[in-house]
């Protein structure tokens, strides 16, 4: 009997939860705020779905009743992607080590 | 692009996202980690364009919308003050949630574009995944909006509770399950809209009873929700990158909520059921008798610190409110010039979101290797000469260790009272978030400095 592809995706999902669990516990507490902003940015990979939705219209009618939601989602996700990664970068740039000289 | 190739590349971007989080295990590798995240995102977006393979006028519009959103995001990222990070993150969560809802709606209206069947005849599994994604996304959206309004101060931080609240929430959750079942059998778009509306309502209802002091838990929890919403959509779209990311973000948010709850010694359910932070003032009002406190001025404080060999700074959110972090760093610089050892002690819930205080100190050019977490530094208080508490209150209250009647009993606190002397900068003797009196004020070795945190710190520096 063939295995439903859903089971493969479910396996990836469950294993990723475990990967996430161990990786996040190893994040140093001083970087928990950047952790939140970067998880924010990467969860906006949902833009993949938004792009597919936006491009579902035909050439003559780019904005159909379904593709318009895709375009709206693109804006939201793009705010998040750029905002999330840039603000994380801005924060991380501030973390400096003690200067040895006085 | 072949389906196998694109699926493999999505996997690559998923792995890069794992490395992005992995990089955060130390500040040195963190910037590289962020870069991995950006590359992962670029790969995911590029692969999507290539596999849809529709480079017509629609593509141009996609780029335009991408640029609009991107510039708004970049603008916000550069302008936002670090004190407002909690609001920013809450706001961003709401966008992820709403994007998930929009993608689900679009998939429901035009399932053929996603290979999910035809309208009115969507594959059963996809329909369930879509419903879950849309519902969790909607809860994330409205919940985050409320959290944002509370953090921003537009909405009162006080918990809003009413009778039968929990029963109502439970009924609405059951309603969602029933709606999903009916949706699967009828494929009715009306039911889909109702499902989304009810989910918006739930998100709203579960956040309003939570008080301002519990916001660190709420933000982490919504972080987790936004991940599960992304994962739900990932299953619908059969997209590995989205499934991996959703799982990562979901577990990340869950761990952060757990850490925050532990920092306050509260169970997750206790926080969610709400009503804390503003209403409970039981033990505070009972023993209102005036106890003597010693108060001093900047001169006294400077004298104490000048004669110390080691000083531990305990910053809290009040410091950020007073914008005193730069003044504080200048004071510490002066102390260090006098060969006094200075370190910072950070309580897990010191800011308004996980790790918030660390960012605020980093912004004030405090080197991160002088900043320590509660477990790392708590034993050092006994050997330190001066503890300088600025803008923190409840997290230093020894009552948490001694009085089982206290609402904060059992919460991990910084052992500030073990220091030879304690300098406590505060405007008045008023209680903190938990609404209880701080025993530390009345200790023999505590000197209260009643003033604005920034002004006091500047005055001390002058007197050093």
């Amino acid at each position: 009997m063939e295995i439903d592809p859903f089971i493969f995706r479910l396996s990836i999902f469950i294993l990723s939860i475990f990967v996430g669990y161990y990786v996040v516990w190893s994040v140093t507490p001083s970087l928990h705020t950047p952790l939140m902003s970067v998880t924010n940015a990467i969860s906006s990979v949902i833009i993949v779905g938004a792009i597919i939705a936006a491009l579902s219209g035909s050439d003559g009618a780019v904005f159909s009743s379904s593709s318009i939601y895709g375009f709206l989602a693109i804006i939201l996700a793009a705010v998040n992607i750029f905002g999330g990664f840039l603000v994380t970068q801005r924060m991380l740039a501030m973390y400096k080590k003690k200067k040895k000289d006085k | 692009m072949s389906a196998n190739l694109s699926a493999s590349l999505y996997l690559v971007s998923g792995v890069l996202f794992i490395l992005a989080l992995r990089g955060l295990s130390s500040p040195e590798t963190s910037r590289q980690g962020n870069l991995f995240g950006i590359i992962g995102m670029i790969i995911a977006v590029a692969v999507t364009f290539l596999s849809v393979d529709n480079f017509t006028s629609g593509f141009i519009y996609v780029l335009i919308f991408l640029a609009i959103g991107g510039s708004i995001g970049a603008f916000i990222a550069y302008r936002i003050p670090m004190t407002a990070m909690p609001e920013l993150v809450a706001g961003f969560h709401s966008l992820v949630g709403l994007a998930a809802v929009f993608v689900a709606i679009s998939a429901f209206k035009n399932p053929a574009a996603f290979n999910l069947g035809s309208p009115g005849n969507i594959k059963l599994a996809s329909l369930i995944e879509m419903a879950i994604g849309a519902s969790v996304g909607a809860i994330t959206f409205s919940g985050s909006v409320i959290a944002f309004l509370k953090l921003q101060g537009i909405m009162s931080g006080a918990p809003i509770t009413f009778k039968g609240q929990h029963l109502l929430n439970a009924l609405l959750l059951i309603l969602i399950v029933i709606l999903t079942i009916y949706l699967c059998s009828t494929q009715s778009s009306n039911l889909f809209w109702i499902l989304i509306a009810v989910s918006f309502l739930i998100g709203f209802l579960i956040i309003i009873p939570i008080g301002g002091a519990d916001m660190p838990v709420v933000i982490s929890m919504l972080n987790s929700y936004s991940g599960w919403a992304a994962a739900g959509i990932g299953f619908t779209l059969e997209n590995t990158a989205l499934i991996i990311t959703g799982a990562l973000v979901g577990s990340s948010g869950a761990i952060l909520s757990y850490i925050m709850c532990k920092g306050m010694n509260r169970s997750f359910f206790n926080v969610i059921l709400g009503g804390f932070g503003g209403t409970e003032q039981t033990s505070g009002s009972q023993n209102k008798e005036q106890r003597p406190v010693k108060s001093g001025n900047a001169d006294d404080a400077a004298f104490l610190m000048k004669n110390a060999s080691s000083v531990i700074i305990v910053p809290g959110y009040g410091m950020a409110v007073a914008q005193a972090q730069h003044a504080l760093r200048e004071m510490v610089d002066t102390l260090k010039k006098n060969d006094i050892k200075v370190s910072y002690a950070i309580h897990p819930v010191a800011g308004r979101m996980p790790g918030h205080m660390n960012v605020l100190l980093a912004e004030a050019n405090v080197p991160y290797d002088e900043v320590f977490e509660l477990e790392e530094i708590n034993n050092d208080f006994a050997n330190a000469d001066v503890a300088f508490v600025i803008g923190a209150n409840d997290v230093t209250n020894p009552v948490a260790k001694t009085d089982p009647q206290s609402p904060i009993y059992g919460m991990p606190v910084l052992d500030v009272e073990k220091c030879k002397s304690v300098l406590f900068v505060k405007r008045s003797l008023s209680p903190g978030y938990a609404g209880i009196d701080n025993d530390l004020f009345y200790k023999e070795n505590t000197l209260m400095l009643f003033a604005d945190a920034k002004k006091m710190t500047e005055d001390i520096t002058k007197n050093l």
Side-chain angles (χ1 to χ4, degrees):
Chain A
M1 201 183 108
E2 248 191 83
I3 301 170
D4 191 316
F6 172 78
I7 300 300
F8 286 119
R9 287 192 283 277
L10 188 66
S11 320
I12 294 173
F13 179 64
I14 302 290
L15 291 175
S16 301
I17 291 178
F18 279 90
V19 171
Y21 180 85
Y22 289 106
V23 169
V24 171
W25 272 118
S26 76
V27 171
T28 167
S30 67
L31 291 175
H32 275 161
T33 298
L35 170 69
M36 293 193 88
S37 59
V38 86
T39 49
N40 226 313
I42 64 173
S43 59
S44 301
V45 73
I46 202 159
I47 197 167
V48 164
I51 293 172
I52 299 174
L55 291 177
S56 63
S58 57
D59 202 15
V62 175
F63 297 100
S64 68
S65 68
S66 74
S67 75
I68 190 76
Y69 287 103
F71 281 106
L72 291 175
I74 286 179
I75 294 195
L76 299 177
V79 170
N80 238 335
I81 292 172
F82 282 76
F85 279 125
L86 289 174
V87 87
T88 308
Q89 200 170 40
R90 201 180 130 203
M91 275 191 275
L92 294 176
M94 296 185 313
Y95 281 80
K96 291 190 190 81
K97 248 195 158 143
K98 204 177 333 197
K99 281 193 214 96
K100 284 281 166 256
D101 55 348
K102 263 201 168 173
Chain B
M1 190 183 276
S2 87
N4 285 336
L5 181 60
S6 59
S8 317
L9 288 171
Y10 280 133
L11 185 62
V12 170
S13 83
V15 171
L16 285 167
F17 291 151
I18 296 175
L19 293 175
L21 299 193
R22 176 71 202 152
L24 291 169
S25 58
S26 115
E28 278 117 80
T29 53
S30 60
R31 274 156 281 214
Q32 191 194 26
N34 200 36
L35 193 64
F36 282 140
I38 296 172
I39 297 171
M41 188 60 74
I42 293 172
I43 292 177
V45 171
V47 169
T48 311
F49 280 134
L50 291 172
S51 50
V52 176
D53 199 17
N54 174 4
F55 294 99
T56 53
S57 53
F59 177 67
I60 308 293
Y61 281 110
V62 169
L63 290 185
I64 293 172
F65 278 72
L66 204 60
I68 296 172
S71 3
I72 298 173
F75 179 77
I76 296 172
Y78 282 112
R79 293 299 297 274
I80 191 90
M82 286 299 141
T83 40
M85 278 312 292
E87 290 95 310
L88 179 78
V89 168
F92 278 176
H93 286 153
S94 71
L95 300 184
V96 179
L98 195 57
V101 174
F102 284 162
V103 173
I105 294 175
S106 184
F108 184 79
K109 294 187 125 199
N110 186 3
F114 297 88
N115 288 325
L116 305 176
S118 55
N121 191 18
I122 302 170
K123 280 188 284 184
L124 181 66
S126 310
L127 202 56
I128 298 174
E129 291 155 2
M130 218 182 274
I132 294 175
S135 172
V136 180
I139 293 174
T140 312
F141 171 71
S142 56
S144 302
V145 169
I146 299 299
F148 176 82
L149 294 177
K150 285 197 171 198
L151 285 163
Q152 208 39 294
I154 298 172
M155 197 175 148
S156 153
I160 299 166
T161 47
F162 54 87
K163 232 179 152 191
Q165 192 163 27
H166 304 317
L167 185 68
L168 177 65
N169 290 348
L171 288 177
L172 286 174
L173 278 175
I174 295 169
L175 181 62
I176 285 202
V177 176
I178 296 172
L179 282 170
T180 311
I181 295 168
Y182 271 99
L183 177 70
C184 290
S185 57
T186 62
Q187 307 244 353
S188 144
S189 60
N190 284 341
L191 283 176
F192 192 65
W193 291 112
I194 296 172
L195 177 74
I196 292 173
V198 173
S199 307
F200 277 134
L201 187 63
I202 289 188
F204 174 76
L205 286 173
I206 55 173
I207 305 300
I208 54 164
I210 305 180
D214 287 334
M215 278 303 143
V217 182
V218 172
I219 302 179
S220 318
M221 185 181 86
L222 291 166
N223 187 229
S224 181
Y225 284 4
S226 70
W228 304 130
I233 300 296
F235 275 101
T236 317
L237 307 183
E238 310 183 344
N239 184 304
T240 336
L242 207 39
I243 293 175
I244 296 177
T245 316
L248 289 178
V249 178
S251 51
S252 164
I255 291 173
L256 291 175
S257 324
Y258 170 78
I259 295 175
M260 290 299 109
C261 285
K262 225 176 98 213
M264 298 191 290
N265 188 39
R266 318 235 339 253
S267 74
F268 186 67
F269 281 103
N270 184 275
V271 174
I272 295 307
L273 296 180
F276 194 79
T279 49
E280 288 181 44
Q281 288 186 331
T282 42
S283 63
S285 45
Q286 278 160 13
N287 39 11
K288 255 282 154 74
E289 92 269 30
Q290 282 290 317
R291 287 190 279 173
V293 292
K294 283 198 287 183
S295 78
N297 56 27
D299 210 11
D300 305 330
F303 177 77
L304 267 171
M305 284 206 259
K306 223 188 268 176
N307 292 306
S309 62
S310 70
V311 173
I312 299 179
I313 315 265
V314 181
Y317 189 68
M319 175 199 75
V321 173
Q323 290 292 326
Q325 51 273 51
H326 290 273
L328 180 69
R329 216 245 13 273
E330 276 159 32
M331 185 189 91
V332 170
D333 284 348
T334 321
L335 289 174
K336 282 198 274 188
K337 267 187 211 131
N338 292 319
D339 280 324
I340 299 165
K341 185 175 166 277
V342 185
S343 32
Y344 297 80
I346 309 258
H347 190 272
V349 292
R352 294 176 95 190
M353 71 185 287
H356 192 197
M357 198 50 60
N358 302 77
V359 176
L360 295 172
L361 290 177
E363 192 192 18
N365 289 320
V366 172
Y368 63 81
D369 40 4
E370 287 175 9
V371 182
F372 298 94
E373 303 300 319
L374 179 126
E375 303 88 51
E376 297 171 315
I377 202 165
N378 230 2
N379 292 328
D380 297 350
F381 280 107
N383 305 319
D385 296 311
V386 175
F388 186 74
V389 184
I390 174 166
N393 187 358
D394 293 333
V395 298
T396 62
N397 197 342
V399 154
K401 288 175 287 192
T402 54
D403 179 12
Q405 301 299 311
S406 167
I408 61 166
Y409 181 70
M411 173 172 128
V413 285
L414 293 157
D415 296 335
V416 176
E417 77 281 1
K418 289 189 181 151
C419 255
K420 287 202 191 76
S421 43
V422 178
L423 295 170
F424 208 115
V425 185
K426 208 167 176 315
R427 286 199 210 196
S428 68
L429 282 177
S430 63
Y433 265 138
I436 49 166
D437 220 6
N438 191 342
D439 262 8
L440 193 60
F441 298 163
Y442 313 104
K443 294 265 174 191
E444 194 56 28
N445 55 351
T446 305
L447 189 67
M448 298 297 296
L449 307 168
F450 293 111
D452 172 71
K454 187 177 180 189
K455 190 162 177 312
M456 177 52 77
T457 319
E458 283 166 351
D459 288 349
I460 294 174
T461 314
K462 270 181 225 149
N463 282 305
L464 275 170

